[in-house]
Amino acid sequence: MAVNRRGEVLEVGEVRTISTDSGDRDVVTVRIRTDDGPVAISLRKKWTKTAEILEPGMELSVTALTEADDGFETTEDSAVVVEPDFLVDVTDIRSWVQCPRLYYLNKIGGLPLEYPVTKGTIVHEVFGDLLRGQALDAAVEKQVEKAGLELGLLGRDRNAVIDEVRQNAAAIDAWLSQGRLDEDGWRSEVTLLSDTYGIKGRCDAIRRGNPVELKTGKNTSRSPRFQDKIQAASYALLLEEQGVSVDTGTLLYTKNAALEEETGDLSPAKDFSIGDGLTKFVLRTRNEIAAMEHDRSVPTGYEGDATCQYCFEQDTCLVVSGRLDQPSKAGSVGDPLPEAERTYFQGQYDAIETERRAIHQEYAKLWKQSAQARADADRALIGLEPAGRTQLPDGRWELRAERPAGAVSKIREGDRVLASDGDPIDGHTELAVVESLGREIVLRADEPLSVRRLDVYPSEFSVDRMLTALHDALLRGPTRRRDLLFERDTPTFSGPTRELIDNNPAQNRAINTALRAEDFALIHGPPGTGKTYTIARLIRALVDRGDRVLLSAFTNRAVDNALSALVDQGFEDAIRMGTESGVRSDMAHLRLDTAGDPNERAEALESAPVVAATTASCGSRVMRSQSFDVVVVDEASQLTEPDTLAAINRGAKFVLVGDHKQLPPVVQSGADLSTSLFQRLIETYPEAAVMLDRQYRMSQRIQAFASREFYDGQLRPATGSVASQTITDLGLDPTRTDVYDGVTLVPVEGTNADHTDTAEAERVAEIATAYLAAGAEPDDLGVIAPFRAQVSTIEPLVPDGVTVDTVDRFQGSSTEILLVSFVASGSLDGPLFEDERRMNVALTRAKKALVLVGDPAALESRDQYARMVDWADRAAE
Ligand SMILES: Nc1ncnc2c1ncn2[C@@H]1O[C@H](COP(=O)(O)OP(=O)(O)OP(=O)(O)O)[C@@H](O)[C@H]1O
């Protein structure tokens, strides 16, 4: 009976030749550590090639083994998979077979704004439309219109593009009309994922169960190009895992039909048969990538047999090899970057790749965890009831489902999610966009589906963008910028100082420092000190002097927040880059619609004095074509260095605004990425920074502790009325004894069982209820708890409308009255106690009343918390 085995490689033997009934065969024996102890597995025939790249420490999975004398051996049906949790993308397998170094260059360089890329996207979209039964001309016009901005930036004429795309698309259309769309069982844009083979990808289309891949180039030879076959064969492998037997792949070369007077085979569709040999080759290639990625090595090009002389990427390859001092088959040009920069590149690269692994682990949870465990971890909505579907005019589908009462998750409106019939791996799954997320969930997807489950989509988009940002900063960035980033020179300032804000000297100093900066400036803004207000005033001053400004932040929420401060100050001459669902409705009027007339769209972007975009979108091919005089980044202390680089790469100067005493960037891998560039620069160049020292949020008593502990006692209330605010300003009855003003410690006896304290939760709920009875509105009140488990315990106990969340979710917001549940017991473990920046955030959200609910004895066991208890006791006096 065939068995599967999986485990860490312990030892890889030498190649041996053994004689069998059918002749001599190569064999390599590999020892792996499985859950049941070490086993020996003999890899036979071509799997010995995979053995050559194996190293101790790698994870190995082998299927369909039979028992042999000393362990197991592979059979004809076996699949040998190196590092199965590392998900290799099909397009990467394709570029690897062209040249392993091309795979690396694509990975770090990203896609540039070039006409063939944009045209390729348009043709693919038209293909999808045709499959959904749309008419050719209408589809071509619509998709060219959609690409308006890119075409405009590329200086392309709309009608000329329509003609060209129509020629390409006509070939597809004619070919499609030979078959019957409904009978051929077409599916377009299919997301596929194999947990057995560690491969994922998105296939252009599937016809009668076979993969169809569209290529916008020409190919006049009879058979498809090898790398194209490999791509289709990769999808075949993925489909086979879903139980479909695939024997044919089709490549559609759309340019063929547009060619005239050429010799050769001009038919656009080229079929080829997919056999076991080809799919095994795909898997061995995939293994080469996974093995190389295991120790983060960089391919040299010698791994493959491509000829550098004919490669379009030869120049790029030479430069990258030269600058990063990498061995390369193509050779190299230019001098290497200074060692510090190369070390930095490698360090950040490794950290980003670690982050990628963490995302792959998120994928793995799709099959390793039960649906319930996914739901409990807020990563899935399960038990949905399909509630109808409607085909939209563009042929796509609107899908509806009801969610069970109380089901919550991290999924938000505008997110891309994996929508499935209940099983995201082996069932029917579509990548869908969440249109609305009420009791009824509305999604948009390419194909119809009865939605029973939604999963967070673990996208690698952000790590890809980080790599590109790193690449752009080091390989394309100006020397002066790098001298500063690598601390070889100091920033300079020049020009006059002006009074721009009259009642707040620190804000005024911050703006002047930023205006006078020849390189960069840093604005350090503790909680409530008017960071966004200052940013808006600064941007107006920059525009007044003729600068073009890019305003950026990590999240859409932060970008909209900063932009709305600008609008509040009467400035509207700005453009918001972002998707319809990503941009807040009150900023939608500033959003640049990328569809339309090319010239007009490009003009709208290029003439805008202020452009606002998330850092990820600063790395898009459109934004990479833009340059700015100054880039202003809000919430910069919550950004990784590469994310910050993505924004500042676009400008000659930059201003970072943040507070490194609050929470750092959220990274899954917890590696080097968790120190922001803001923090590094403020520690290196304190002279480039100004701290805003007047806060507009907290009463005197509330702010006192944070000021002393985290801001050297520098923070103070901006005005007398900020300092003296009390709960009576909210209309609360001050004579009640069950509600508290200022700062109060409410003692409870602490327990901490599985990160919850039920008695404490009940006490918190009692206090919250009393505040409402005293006249507070539910949205005046917030509750912070250190653990998700405690959040879930408190949530059902407090009145509706009161926000209960973890500290991390509260960062950036404020509330009139805040209750903190510490779940403090003996050892003071947990996220709140591990990082004092979290404590700072928790204690600086409240304006008028801060109620600390916890066990004083446990809290006092640590100095900083003892001081907190002392402060609360004194404040209450
Ligand atoms: N110089 C000023 N004069 C008057 N009001 C100000 C000034 N600066 C800021 N404010 C007000 O203080 C409040 C807080 O400002 P803002 O929202 O900009 O703070 P922030 O530092 O961005 O807050 P957070 O810490 O939450 O990010 C706002 O209502 C703002 O209008």
Side-chain angles (χ1 to χ4, degrees):
M1 205 187 67
V3 295
N4 303 338
R5 286 291 176 267
R6 177 174 170 157
E8 187 189 324
V9 174
L10 298 170
E11 197 185 332
V12 184
E14 297 293 325
V15 184
R16 290 174 286 129
T17 307
I18 56 165
S19 44
T20 68
D21 298 346
S22 47
D24 286 353
R25 292 278 181 248
D26 283 349
V27 173
V28 175
T29 300
V30 178
R31 282 168 60 78
I32 65 171
R33 183 190 296 123
T34 68
D35 290 345
D36 305 325
V39 295
I41 296 178
S42 295
L43 305 183
R44 299 163 60 111
K45 297 192 183 172
K46 287 196 176 162
W47 294 122
T48 53
K49 289 209 170 306
T50 296
E52 283 170 22
I53 54 173
L54 280 179
E55 282 170 23
M58 289 176 181
E59 184 83 0
L60 187 72
S61 157
V62 190
T63 66
L65 290 161
T66 53
E67 287 198 25
D69 295 345
D70 54 348
F72 299 95
E73 63 184 16
T74 53
T75 63
E76 289 302 311
D77 298 327
S78 291
V80 178
V81 189
V82 180
E83 292 280 296
D85 284 349
F86 187 85
L87 292 172
V88 178
D89 203 276
V90 171
T91 53
D92 290 336
I93 300 178
R94 179 182 195 276
S95 34
W96 183 275
V97 297
Q98 278 183 273
C99 170
R101 206 156 156 77
L102 186 64
Y103 156 83
Y104 174 75
L105 295 174
N106 287 347
K107 178 164 135 171
I108 62 170
L111 271 182
L113 182 64
E114 279 172 4
Y115 181 57
V117 177
T118 306
K119 194 185 89 182
T121 311
I122 300 173
V123 175
H124 273 86
E125 293 290 328
V126 171
F127 179 48
D129 282 348
L130 294 177
L131 289 183
R132 285 185 287 270
Q134 306 277 294
L136 174 70
D137 284 344
V140 172
E141 283 196 20
K142 184 181 80 184
Q143 296 301 347
V144 170
E145 165 108 3
K146 262 176 80 178
L149 176 62
E150 288 193 13
L151 292 172
L153 294 171
L154 289 161
R156 293 283 163 159
D157 173 68
R158 177 177 174 274
N159 291 332
V161 178
I162 288 183
D163 280 348
E164 201 181 333
V165 171
R166 191 188 282 114
Q167 283 185 0
N168 277 262
I172 314 172
D173 201 36
W175 180 73
L176 284 177
S177 60
Q178 293 168 10
R180 288 270 321 269
L181 273 186
D182 45 352
E183 283 177 8
D184 278 358
W186 280 95
R187 282 176 66 192
S188 68
E189 288 281 349
V190 186
T191 305
L192 297 164
L193 185 109
S194 163
D195 53 336
T196 308
Y197 305 125
I199 302 178
K200 65 182 162 64
R202 212 159 144 71
C203 181
D204 284 340
I206 292 172
R207 182 183 54 152
R208 294 193 208 115
N210 292 326
V212 178
E213 203 43 37
L214 190 69
K215 294 288 153 206
T216 44
K218 65 172 180 180
N219 175 11
T220 54
S221 72
R222 279 197 51 219
S223 61
R225 269 188 289 267
F226 183 61
Q227 63 263 30
D228 298 342
K229 278 187 179 179
I230 289 302
Q231 191 173 0
S234 305
Y235 295 124
L237 190 62
L238 291 170
L239 286 164
E240 275 174 6
E241 206 195 344
Q242 299 194 343
V244 186
S245 123
V246 181
D247 52 21
T248 311
T250 304
L251 271 306
L252 266 178
Y253 292 95
T254 65
K255 204 169 173 185
N256 272 17
L259 298 173
E260 282 164 24
E261 296 179 25
E262 286 231 21
T263 48
D265 178 357
L266 295 185
S267 66
K270 297 182 192 302
D271 292 339
F272 69 102
S273 61
I274 300 178
D276 200 40
L278 200 59
T279 47
K280 293 254 167 69
F281 178 84
V282 165
L283 190 51
R284 286 199 304 276
T285 308
R286 178 254 162 234
N287 284 343
E288 287 174 27
I289 300 178
M292 191 221 53
E293 291 286 1
H294 176 258
D295 46 21
R296 313 277 199 276
S297 41
V298 171
T300 58
Y302 289 109
E303 305 83 350
D305 51 13
T307 315
C308 299
Q309 196 183 341
Y310 304 123
C311 176
F312 289 128
E313 298 298 330
Q314 192 187 10
D315 288 348
T316 313
C317 189
L318 290 169
V319 173
V320 171
S321 310
R323 300 298 271 164
L324 296 177
D325 200 20
Q326 292 171 345
S328 153
K329 187 176 176 183
S332 65
V333 295
D335 294 328
L337 293 172
E339 197 182 334
E341 292 181 37
R342 280 180 283 133
T343 308
Y344 174 85
F345 185 92
Q346 197 54 44
Q348 294 285 308
Y349 178 89
D350 285 354
I352 296 168
E353 287 301 320
T354 304
E355 197 69 8
R356 188 188 303 281
R357 297 298 179 111
I359 294 167
H360 288 181
Q361 291 305 324
E362 284 298 310
Y363 267 112
K365 286 182 189 158
L366 287 171
W367 56 84
K368 287 187 178 161
Q369 286 187 339
S370 67
Q372 190 59 51
R374 296 274 303 158
D376 291 346
D378 286 345
R379 291 209 160 69
L381 285 172
I382 60 171
L384 308 180
E385 261 315 303
R389 55 174 86 159
T390 319
Q391 189 160 26
L392 301 167
D394 69 356
R396 292 192 161 78
W397 291 81
E398 185 183 275
L399 312 174
R400 289 180 299 281
E402 295 265 338
R403 69 165 141 177
V408 288
S409 76
K410 286 192 161 159
I411 295 169
R412 298 285 171 265
E413 282 177 14
D415 285 357
R416 299 216 304 166
V417 294
L418 293 169
S420 65
D421 56 3
D423 183 346
I425 297 302
D426 296 322
H428 182 179
T429 306
E430 291 285 330
L431 205 52
V433 175
V434 181
E435 300 268 292
S436 80
L437 199 60
R439 185 71 198 272
E440 180 175 81
I441 300 171
V442 183
L443 305 159
R444 205 181 51 227
D446 283 354
E447 304 284 337
L449 165 76
S450 293
V451 182
R452 298 188 183 276
R453 171 171 165 181
L454 300 184
D455 282 89
V456 170
Y457 173 58
S459 167
E460 283 177 58
F461 173 76
S462 57
V463 290
D464 289 338
R465 285 282 159 90
M466 282 195 210
L467 280 185
T468 315
L470 187 64
H471 166 273
D472 286 356
L474 270 78
L475 299 172
R476 293 194 182 162
T479 315
R480 170 76 187 155
R481 171 67 56 86
R482 288 186 287 112
D483 283 345
L484 293 158
L485 290 179
F486 293 96
E487 303 168 18
R488 292 189 291 259
D489 209 337
T490 48
T492 55
F493 297 84
S494 69
T497 304
R498 290 185 290 153
E499 178 95 354
L500 285 156
I501 293 182
D502 51 14
N503 56 359
N504 191 319
Q507 285 182 351
N508 197 48
R509 247 190 347 269
I511 294 183
N512 275 290
T513 305
L515 288 171
R516 297 176 64 249
E518 290 181 343
D519 306 291
F520 68 86
L522 306 166
I523 301 180
H524 178 198
T529 49
K531 288 185 282 289
T532 355
Y533 179 90
T534 309
I535 287 176
R537 187 67 196 87
L538 166 66
I539 291 177
R540 284 168 49 215
L542 289 167
V543 172
D544 275 349
R545 76 174 187 198
D547 281 351
R548 185 174 191 229
V549 182
L550 171 62
L551 168 62
S552 190
F554 188 64
T555 59
N556 274 312
R557 181 194 52 74
V559 173
D560 285 331
N561 190 27
L563 193 59
S564 69
L566 205 52
V567 172
D568 285 347
Q569 294 185 14
F571 185 95
E572 297 247 350
D573 201 1
I575 283 231
R576 171 74 160 93
M577 298 298 288
T579 60
E580 225 174 318
S581 52
V583 177
R584 210 167 67 195
S585 56
D586 61 333
M587 291 297 118
H589 64 293
L590 298 179
R591 190 179 81 85
L592 180 69
D593 190 350
T594 53
D597 175 70
N599 276 335
E600 196 222 336
R601 294 296 81 197
E603 168 71 15
L605 172 60
E606 295 194 309
S607 66
V610 176
V611 176
T614 58
T615 47
S617 127
C618 288
S620 71
R621 51 188 196 238
V622 160
M623 289 301 285
R624 285 172 87 203
S625 74
Q626 299 295 298
S627 55
F628 297 85
D629 298 299
V630 182
V631 180
V632 180
V633 185
D634 195 6
E635 299 191 355
S637 48
Q638 292 178 62
L639 287 177
T640 63
E641 291 212 11
D643 283 322
T644 317
L645 293 174
I648 68 176
N649 282 339
R650 309 276 79 84
K653 301 172 191 175
F654 63 89
V655 180
L656 303 184
V657 186
D659 180 11
H660 53 300
K661 306 286 181 182
Q662 295 185 56
L663 286 171
V666 181
V667 288
Q668 311 217 21
S669 54
D672 296 357
L673 293 171
S674 57
T675 304
S676 63
L677 183 64
F678 177 87
Q679 173 160 0
R680 179 159 75 85
L681 293 181
I682 206 166
E683 284 166 1
T684 314
Y685 304 113
E687 70 278 13
V690 175
M691 182 177 117
L692 308 181
D693 55 11
R694 298 193 180 178
Q695 60 82 17
Y696 295 82
R697 176 184 298 167
M698 298 162 273
S699 74
Q700 172 73 43
R701 279 193 281 179
I702 294 177
Q703 68 122 61
F705 181 73
S707 175
R708 202 174 57 223
E709 289 287 322
F710 306 109
Y711 303 103
D712 294 332
Q714 299 290 308
L715 197 60
R716 58 206 141 118
T719 63
S721 56
V722 170
S724 62
Q725 52 186 324
T726 71
I727 55 167
T728 49
D729 305 339
L730 300 172
L732 264 62
D733 175 359
T735 61
R736 287 181 71 123
T737 53
D738 55 354
V739 296
Y740 311 94
D741 208 354
V743 182
T744 317
L745 178 82
V746 175
V748 291
E749 190 134 343
T751 56
N752 178 354
D754 289 337
H755 299 164
T756 55
D757 182 335
T758 318
E760 187 172 295
E762 282 163 3
R763 188 74 185 95
V764 166
E766 218 172 85
I767 302 169
T769 311
Y771 270 111
L772 295 201
E777 297 295 328
D779 61 5
D780 289 337
L781 225 70
V783 180
I784 287 182
F787 305 102
R788 298 268 346 142
Q790 182 74 346
V791 169
S792 313
T793 312
I794 297 174
E795 224 159 21
L797 303 178
V798 296
D800 274 356
V802 174
T803 312
V804 186
D805 225 323
T806 57
V807 188
D808 300 50
R809 294 289 198 106
F810 259 96
Q811 171 142 319
S813 64
S814 62
T815 176
E816 300 291 345
I817 301 160
L818 184 82
L819 316 182
V820 183
S821 167
F822 283 95
V823 195
S825 60
S827 57
L828 286 196
D829 61 347
L832 189 59
F833 305 108
E834 272 160 19
D835 189 334
E836 66 167 25
R837 292 172 292 192
R838 209 169 254 117
M839 176 190 201
N840 182 20
V841 174
L843 301 182
T844 53
R845 301 303 100 194
K847 296 179 182 174
K848 300 182 170 66
L850 175 62
V851 186
L852 310 171
V853 187
D855 181 343
L859 290 167
E860 277 171 338
S861 66
R862 196 176 297 177
D863 282 356
Q864 200 166 32
Y865 284 88
R867 292 198 293 275
M868 181 190 83
V869 171
D870 187 45
W871 155 65
D873 286 346
R874 282 165 197 254
E877 278 164 14

